[in-house]
């Protein structure tokens, strides 16, 4: 397991989700024309989080390629259309900024966990499964991470300022538990990742089934209530699709080879971070640089 405190509560940050959303905001450029809005927005989010969660360990989670998903389902994410020139330019700008996000994270003394063959979702699931009695805040706009909510585990979207925990889960998702949420997702599929559902069951029916049965095993032990459920009950093909989706989507208690994970963690280096902000022309940070010393220096 990666080395982090067994006592302090955790903040787990979805690097690419936050970075790409920051990159999509108003363009910032240095005097030489280099775009910096992704780096600036990411650091600004770190400041905000650190003010709220001063006594916690922060871990930034980085995406790799989830080989096991492509091996299981070669069409995974296969519906992504060629990017328009504008979208390609936006992606290129973000890609160019990613090393500076990593550098800022390191110089601020924040841990970064990555694995070449797992996604940030999987790493979040790993850390939540090993959290013990620690409280965890999941920082992401990705609602797949809602699967990890539990007593002591909340989800926070820094863009919308929405917090979701086990108390307001039903009001935000339509179901009462992450188990029901997973059941619903596996029935429906996920068009954004090119994962087809079992067929004939949209969100309304999937929500109803999740509330009534909670999980697939319970569904199979009961008499179907309508023709849509009967079709799933009778079709081995539909059931295999559901089981495949469960393997693709379930990030709770993932079976991860931790020898393939990599943790980097520096200590707060004020001079080096100041120089980085100078190079990127983050004048607003430079004007109030003492906030970084207050929030990120040793013991804070």
């Amino acid at each position: 397991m990666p080395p982090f405190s067994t006592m302090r509560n955790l903040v787990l940050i979805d690097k690419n989700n936050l970075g790409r959303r920051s990159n999509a905001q108003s363009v910032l450029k240095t005097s030489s024309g280099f775009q910096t809005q992704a780096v600036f927005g990411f650091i600004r989010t770190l400041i905000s989080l650190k003010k709220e969660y001063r006594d916690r360990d922060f871990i930034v989670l980085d995406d790799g390629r989830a080989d096991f998903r492509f091996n299981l389902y070669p069409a995974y994410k296969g519906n992504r259309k060629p990017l328009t020139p504008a979208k390609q330019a936006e992606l290129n700008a973000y890609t160019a900024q990613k090393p500076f996000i990593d550098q800022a994270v390191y110089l601020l003394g924040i841990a970064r966990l990555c694995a070449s063959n797992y996604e940030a979702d999987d790493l979040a699931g790993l850390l939540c499964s090993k959290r013990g009695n620690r409280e965890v805040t999941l920082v992401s706009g990705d609602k797949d991470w809602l699967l990890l909510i539990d007593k002591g585990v909340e989800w926070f979207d820094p863009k919308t300022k929405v917090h979701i925990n086990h108390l307001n889960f039903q009001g935000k998702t339509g179901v009462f538990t992450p188990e029901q949420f997973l059941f619903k997702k596996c029935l429906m599929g996920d068009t954004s990742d090119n994962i087809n559902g079992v067929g004939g069951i949209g969100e309304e029916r999937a929500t109803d089934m999740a509330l009534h049965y909670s999980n697939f095993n319970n569904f199979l032990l009961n008499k179907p209530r309508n023709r849509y459920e009967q079709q799933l009950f009778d079709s081995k093909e539909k059931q295999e699709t559901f089981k495949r989706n469960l393997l693709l989507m379930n990030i709770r208690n993932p079976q991860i080879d931790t020898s393939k994970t990599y943790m980097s963690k520096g200590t707060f280096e004020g001079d080096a971070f100041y120089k980085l902000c100078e190079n990127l022309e983050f004048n607003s940070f430079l004007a109030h640089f003492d906030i970084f010393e207050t929030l990120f220096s040793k013991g804070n």
Side-chain angles (χ1 to χ4, degrees):
M1 282 295 299
F4 54 82
S5 169
T6 59
M7 300 297 293
R8 285 162 64 99
N9 296 326
L10 297 174
V11 175
L12 305 181
I13 299 171
D14 187 349
K15 172 191 163 183
N16 281 324
N17 181 269
L18 269 61
R20 294 192 71 163
R21 290 170 82 180
S22 295
N23 189 59
Q25 300 304 306
S26 299
V27 173
L28 295 177
K29 293 182 179 180
T30 64
S31 55
S32 65
F34 182 75
Q35 290 190 31
T36 59
Q37 65 273 7
V39 191
F40 184 84
F42 197 93
I43 295 173
R44 187 168 57 182
T45 299
L46 290 178
I47 294 171
S48 177
L49 291 170
K50 197 67 173 176
K51 287 179 179 178
E52 186 170 356
Y53 302 103
R54 288 284 295 271
D55 61 342
R56 296 195 180 200
D57 286 331
F58 281 41
I59 307 178
V60 172
L61 305 182
D62 213 342
D63 279 316
R65 175 184 166 88
D67 292 331
F68 75 95
R69 290 191 174 93
F70 289 97
N71 292 337
L72 175 65
Y73 182 50
Y76 179 59
K77 297 188 177 181
N79 61 335
R80 308 263 167 112
K81 297 179 180 179
L83 296 176
T84 64
K87 286 295 184 182
Q88 186 63 58
E90 183 179 306
L91 176 60
N92 292 344
Y94 174 59
T95 300
Q97 292 173 76
K98 286 170 69 175
F100 294 98
I101 292 176
D102 294 342
Q103 187 178 356
V105 167
Y106 186 83
L107 294 176
L108 289 173
I110 296 173
R112 182 170 67 93
L113 179 65
C114 58
S116 61
N117 54 346
Y118 296 107
E119 297 178 30
D121 312 41
D122 304 307
L123 298 177
L126 170 68
L127 295 179
C128 284
S129 71
K130 306 292 185 182
R131 70 184 179 91
N133 293 324
R134 285 166 299 185
E135 294 181 0
V136 176
T137 296
L138 306 166
V139 181
S140 177
D142 185 349
K143 292 188 176 179
D144 288 346
W145 287 37
L146 296 178
L147 291 169
L148 302 174
I149 286 180
D150 202 344
K151 290 183 178 180
V153 179
E154 68 165 354
W155 177 90
F156 173 60
D157 182 347
K159 181 177 180 180
T160 62
K161 308 302 182 185
V162 171
H163 288 262
I164 302 179
N165 56 34
H166 71 287
L167 297 175
N168 67 348
F169 190 83
Q170 190 270 338
K172 300 294 185 180
T173 66
V175 294
F176 289 100
T177 67
E179 180 185 38
Q180 292 175 338
F181 188 57
L182 178 61
F183 184 32
K184 174 181 172 179
K185 284 175 58 66
C186 291
L187 289 170
M188 294 173 57
D190 186 341
T191 55
S192 66
D193 285 336
N194 199 38
I195 301 173
N196 61 294
V198 299
I201 298 177
E203 182 168 7
E204 184 176 348
R205 292 194 182 104
T207 300
D208 174 64
M209 289 178 67
L211 291 171
H212 187 75
Y213 299 109
S214 288
N215 59 58
F216 193 59
N217 287 338
N218 286 345
F219 167 74
L220 295 176
L221 293 173
N222 286 273
K223 182 179 179 180
R225 299 173 297 163
N226 52 54
R227 64 187 180 93
Y228 303 101
E229 293 183 6
Q230 189 69 55
Q231 290 171 357
L232 176 58
F233 192 87
D234 292 339
S235 172
K236 294 297 182 184
E237 181 180 356
K238 289 178 179 291
Q239 291 181 28
E240 288 304 313
T241 296
F242 181 92
K243 293 174 183 177
R244 178 207 67 195
N245 289 354
L246 187 61
L247 292 172
L248 290 170
M249 295 180 175
N250 188 10
I251 60 173
R252 297 175 67 87
N253 303 311
Q255 301 301 308
I256 288 181
D257 179 1
T258 56
S259 68
K260 296 185 178 181
T261 62
Y262 170 74
M263 174 77 84
S264 64
K265 187 179 188 305
T267 57
F268 177 71
E269 298 182 37
D271 291 344
F273 184 70
Y274 189 94
K275 185 65 176 178
L276 175 66
C277 291
E278 276 190 327
N279 291 340
L280 296 176
E281 300 176 15
F282 291 158
N283 295 325
S284 61
F285 289 161
L286 296 174
H288 303 281
F289 196 77
D290 58 318
I291 190 66
F292 295 102
E293 179 75 32
T294 300
L295 294 175
F296 296 96
S297 63
K298 187 175 181 181
N300 293 322

